[in-house]
């Protein structure tokens, strides 16, 4: 209790289980900077990439539960329990969920010269010529790849999935017309849509994104129950004192409501959320179950 009352009295490590420069790293650094300013103590980001996020996640799980190690994780946190045959962490018991700081929708795009001008036209084209087209995605187990599988499964579409080694190569392939259809995360794709190299057909969120307000949601395009997003969630190791996690939740909620943070999020394609710990725990349970079903139904081979 004494340590919780004085928290934080020395620097706090924020583990990001991915390389520097990606969406999760950008969000973690934004939150860490504001926490440093508001709590008058340094919150510093440590990148621990590898194994689809599992290496950094495990490093955070094994850290002391004293509030001085936090984890900022993406949707790999809720996908990996089903994607890996022996996932090294328990998504429900190894961490305390603090808040879903922000989320970014995935986006369905096509090359600017592709004949389909809407999702409806794309579906008609794919059904008319089954097996002819392929859909690019950033990699196996990413939420854009799983969003594409959900899209194909629910509409009974025959189109090959082409996983790339990240969003950049997938976007480049779509821009070049090699794989003119792609599901990707919105933040790295929005500049190509804004610049006209790609046509945004729909975002996968419940509401339109501030980054691309003219692009409809899949539900608006006539295809419901297709929601998917890439989360940016904040966690602490299990058994971290509740006084500390409650303080962090309140501080992060204030940060995500700040005008300059909201503006920065909009520029990057993130939607601020900052839900409560209980709401975040319920979200994690729902997402683990949802993507587990998609992985099984799409017969995606588990990683050994």
């Amino acid at each position: 209790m004494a340590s919780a009352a004085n928290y934080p009295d020395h620097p706090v490590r924020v583990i990001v289980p991915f390389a520097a420069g990606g969406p999760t790293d950008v969000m973690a650094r934004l939150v860490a900077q504001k926490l440093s300013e508001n709590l008058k103590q340094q919150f510093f980001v440590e990148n621990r990439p590898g194994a689809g996020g599992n290496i950094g996640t495990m490093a955070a799980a094994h850290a002391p539960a004293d509030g001085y190690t936090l984890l900022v994780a993406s949707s790999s946190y809720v996908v990996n329990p089903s994607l890996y045959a022996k996932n090294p962490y328990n998504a429900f018991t190894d961490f305390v969920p603090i808040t879903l700081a922000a989320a970014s929708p995935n986006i369905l795009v096509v090359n600017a010269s592709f004949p389909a001008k809407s999702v409806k036209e794309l579906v008609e084209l794919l059904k008319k010529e089954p097996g002819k087209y392929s859909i690019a995605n950033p990699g196996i187990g990413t939420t854009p790849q799983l969003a594409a599988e959900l899209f194909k499964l629910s509409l009974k579409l025959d189109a090959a999935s082409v996983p790339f080694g990240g969003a950049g190569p997938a976007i480049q392939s779509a821009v070049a017309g090699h794989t003119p259809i792609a599901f990707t995360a919105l933040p790295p794709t929005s500049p190509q849509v804004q610049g006209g190299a790609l046509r945004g057909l729909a975002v996968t969120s419940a509401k339109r994104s501030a980054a691309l307000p003219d692009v409809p949601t899949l539900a608006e395009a006539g295809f419901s129950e297709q929601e998917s997003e890439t989360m940016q969630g904040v966690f602490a190791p299990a058994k971290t004192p509740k006084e500390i996690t409650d303080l962090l939740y309140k501080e992060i909620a204030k940060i995500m409501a700040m005008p300059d943070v909201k503006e920065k999020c909009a520029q990057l394609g993130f939607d601020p959320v900052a839900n409560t710990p209980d709401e975040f725990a319920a979200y994690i349970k729902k997402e683990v179950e949802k993507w587990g079903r998609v992985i099984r139904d799409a017969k995606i081979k588990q990683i050994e």
Side-chain angles (χ1 to χ4, degrees):
M1 287 295 290
S3 63
N6 298 322
Y7 178 86
D9 62 9
H10 60 274
V12 178
R13 176 175 62 153
V14 181
I15 292 179
V16 171
F18 302 101
T24 306
D25 179 69
V26 170
M27 179 54 60
R29 290 179 190 278
L30 180 61
V31 171
Q33 178 191 341
K34 293 294 185 180
L35 284 172
S36 299
E37 294 170 2
N38 294 355
L39 295 178
K40 312 302 180 188
Q41 189 57 255
Q42 184 188 12
F43 284 70
F44 66 95
V45 170
E46 179 181 306
N47 298 95
R48 297 285 296 271
N54 281 346
I55 289 175
T57 301
M58 284 306 298
H62 290 151
D66 57 6
Y68 290 92
T69 297
L70 304 176
L71 172 73
V72 176
S74 78
S75 292
S76 65
Y77 185 93
V78 293
V79 170
N80 287 0
S82 301
L83 183 64
Y84 283 78
K86 296 178 181 177
N87 199 54
Y89 65 88
N90 187 306
F92 307 117
T93 60
D94 284 347
F95 290 92
V96 179
I98 295 175
T99 187
L100 172 57
S104 56
N106 297 310
I107 184 169
L108 170 58
V109 295
V110 294
N111 182 278
S113 63
F114 196 73
K117 302 292 192 295
S118 66
V119 182
K120 184 179 178 183
E121 289 181 9
L122 176 63
V123 170
E124 289 172 353
L125 187 63
L126 294 175
K127 288 192 171 184
K128 185 179 178 182
E129 302 181 86
K132 179 178 178 180
Y133 296 99
S134 55
I135 302 175
N137 66 71
I140 294 171
T142 60
T143 57
Q145 188 241 350
L146 297 177
E149 296 297 342
L150 178 62
F151 185 67
K152 292 194 301 177
L153 282 167
S154 60
L155 298 170
K156 297 181 172 58
L157 302 175
D158 180 5
S161 288
V162 182
F164 285 83
I171 293 165
Q172 289 165 12
S173 182
V175 170
H178 302 310
T179 44
I181 310 165
F183 267 90
T184 61
L186 187 141
T189 315
S190 57
Q192 300 292 347
V193 176
Q194 291 163 343
L198 295 175
R199 181 184 305 124
L201 297 187
V203 292
T204 62
S205 46
K207 60 181 182 179
R208 295 193 184 201
S209 170
L212 295 171
D214 295 333
V215 178
T217 66
L218 273 168
E220 287 175 328
F223 301 90
S224 59
E225 298 184 10
Q226 295 283 325
E227 290 179 19
S228 67
E229 61 189 9
T230 299
M231 76 169 194
Q232 309 298 337
V234 185
F235 301 82
K239 299 182 181 178
T240 298
K242 190 173 187 299
E243 294 84 356
I244 291 176
T245 57
D246 284 350
L247 170 68
L248 289 167
Y249 159 64
K250 290 171 185 172
E251 289 296 328
I252 294 169
K254 284 194 288 187
I255 288 166
M256 300 313 297
M258 294 170 70
D260 62 325
V261 172
K262 291 170 78 171
E263 182 181 351
K264 182 70 171 174
C265 284
Q267 291 171 358
L268 295 168
F270 292 117
D271 293 320
V273 180
N275 58 4
T276 68
D278 286 345
E279 289 169 339
F280 190 25
Y283 172 94
I284 291 164
K285 184 175 187 296
K286 180 182 174 184
E287 289 289 289
V288 169
E289 292 172 353
K290 173 183 177 179
W291 296 124
R293 281 195 305 273
V294 172
I295 287 167
R296 288 192 299 273
D297 293 348
K299 296 180 171 56
I300 296 171
K301 187 179 179 181
Q302 286 188 312
I303 297 170
E304 295 295 335

